[in-house]
C-alpha cells in the first residue's frame, strides 16, 4: 500500500490532519466497509478535533483530492490482493514500541465504529443468503484481535490477573496473525456486499 509520505508532508493544511498511521488506518476501515460511505460522511472524521487552522477553498480541495487518492490506493490494494498492512507498521518488538501499528489499528477501529450502521444494513440484506452466525463469529475474532493490538496495555488490564501473563506472552503470536485477519476482515465485507450494489464504483477511477 502506498503511504504517499511526500504528499502528506507537503499539504499546507497538515495541521488539521491526524498522524498519518491513524489516517491510513481510518481510510482502510472506510474502504473495507460493505457499503462505502460518501466522502462528505467520512472526510470530517479525519480532521483533528482540536484543529483551529482555517483552510481556504483551494486547500480544502487539495485535502479532498489527497484523501480520495488514499482511498483509491487502498481499494486498489484490496482488489489486487496486496499486503493490507502498510510497510513499516509490522510488529517488530515489544508492545510499547508499536506506536504506528497501534495508531493504524485505532484508525481502523474508529472507522468501523462510525460505520456500524452500514455494516448492520449489509448484515440485514444478507439474512436470506449468508451464514450470518459464522460471519459474525469471524468478524468478532477480527475486531477482538484489532482491539488487543491497538491497545495491549488496556487489554491486559481487562484480563483476569491469572491470565495476564499468558496474554502478554501471546501478543507477538497474535500480531503475527494480523495480516491474515485483515484479509479475513475484507473477505467478510466482500461476502456481505454480494447483496448490495457494487460499492467500488462509488470511487471515481483514475485516468
Amino acid at each position: 500500500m502506498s503511504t504517499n509520505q511526500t504528499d502528506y508532508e507537503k499539504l499546507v493544511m497538515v495541521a488539521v490532519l491526524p498522524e498519518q498511521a491513524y489516517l491510513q488506518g481510518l481510510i482502510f476501515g472506510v474502504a473495507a466497509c460493505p457499503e462505502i460511505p460518501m466522502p462528505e460522511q467520512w472526510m470530517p472524521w479525519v480532521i483533528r478535533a482540536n484543529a483551529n487552522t482555517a483552510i481556504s477553498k483551494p486547500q480544502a480541495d487539495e485535502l479532498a483530492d489527497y484523501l480520495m487518492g488514499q482511498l483509491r490506493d487502498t481499494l486498489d490494494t484490496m482488489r489486487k490482493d496486496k499486503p493490507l498492512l502498510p510497510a513499516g507498521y509490522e510488529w517488530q518488538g515489544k508492545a510499547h514500541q508499536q506506536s504506528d501499528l497501534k495508531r493504524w489499528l485505532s484508525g481502523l477501529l474508529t472507522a468501523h465504529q462510525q460505520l456500524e450502521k452500514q455494516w448492520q444494513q449489509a448484515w440485514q440484506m444478507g439474512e436470506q443468503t449468508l451464514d450470518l452466525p459464522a460471519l459474525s463469529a469471524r468478524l468478532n475474532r477480527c475486531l477482538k484481535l484489532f482491539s488487543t493490538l491497538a491497545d495491549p496495555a488496556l487489554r491486559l488490564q481487562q484480563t483476569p490477573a491469572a491470565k495476564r501473563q499468558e496474554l502478554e506472552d501471546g501478543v507477538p503470536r497474535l500480531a503475527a496473525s494480523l495480516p491474515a485477519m485483515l484479509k479475513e476482515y475484507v473477505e467478510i465485507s466482500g461476502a456481505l456486499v454480494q447483496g448490495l450494489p457494487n460499492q467500488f464504483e462509488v470511487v471515481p477511477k483514475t485516468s
Side-chain angles (χ1 to χ4, degrees):
M1 184 182 301
S2 172
T3 60
N4 224 354
Q5 180 71 24
T6 302
D7 288 347
Y8 177 85
E9 290 179 341
K10 77 179 183 182
L11 287 172
V12 292
M13 74 291 293
V14 71
V16 306
L17 293 176
E19 295 88 352
Q20 189 174 24
Y22 177 88
L23 174 62
Q24 289 179 321
L26 189 146
I27 291 175
F28 178 90
V30 170
C33 183
E35 186 176 7
I36 298 175
M38 297 301 291
E40 56 267 27
Q41 180 180 351
W42 67 267
M43 284 189 181
W45 304 340
V46 309
I47 305 301
R48 287 184 180 178
N50 61 349
N52 55 11
T53 302
I55 61 176
S56 66
K57 176 63 164 58
Q59 289 171 335
D61 291 341
E62 184 181 0
L63 175 60
D65 287 345
Y66 170 76
L67 294 174
M68 289 302 293
Q70 290 289 292
L71 180 62
R72 282 192 291 266
D73 286 348
T74 304
L75 288 168
D76 188 62
T77 295
M78 292 176 178
R79 288 192 192 101
K80 295 180 178 178
D81 200 25
K82 296 179 181 178
L84 299 175
L85 187 66
Y89 294 173
E90 298 88 354
W91 188 274
Q92 297 174 346
K94 296 185 180 297
H96 69 275
Q97 298 173 323
Q98 311 303 319
S99 56
D100 281 340
L101 175 60
K102 289 189 285 187
R103 290 190 187 104
W104 191 87
L105 288 169
S106 293
L108 165 55
L109 290 167
T110 295
H112 187 90
Q113 183 179 27
Q114 294 278 9
L115 293 167
E116 282 185 353
K117 182 177 180 180
Q118 280 89 337
W119 278 88
Q120 186 60 38
Q121 288 174 341
W123 221 261
Q124 292 171 353
M125 294 184 71
E127 286 181 341
Q128 303 301 319
T129 58
L130 299 173
D131 184 354
L132 293 184
L135 283 177
S136 178
R138 291 169 62 194
L139 180 61
N140 287 335
R141 284 197 299 271
C142 291
L143 294 175
K144 185 175 181 179
L145 176 72
F146 301 161
S147 298
T148 297
L149 295 178
D151 194 343
L154 178 61
R155 178 66 68 180
L156 286 170
Q157 291 176 7
Q158 297 171 340
T159 301
K163 296 185 177 180
R164 286 177 188 166
Q165 189 60 51
E166 179 183 355
L167 175 59
E168 186 171 8
D169 293 341
V171 166
R173 292 193 297 274
L174 294 177
S177 70
L178 178 58
M181 294 299 271
L182 290 172
K183 184 176 181 179
E184 182 163 7
Y185 181 72
V186 172
E187 289 174 350
I188 293 167
S189 175
L192 292 172
V193 84
Q194 292 176 7
L196 298 171
N198 187 351
Q199 298 304 316
F200 285 138
E201 296 304 321
V202 304
V203 181
K205 296 180 179 178
T206 55
S207 58

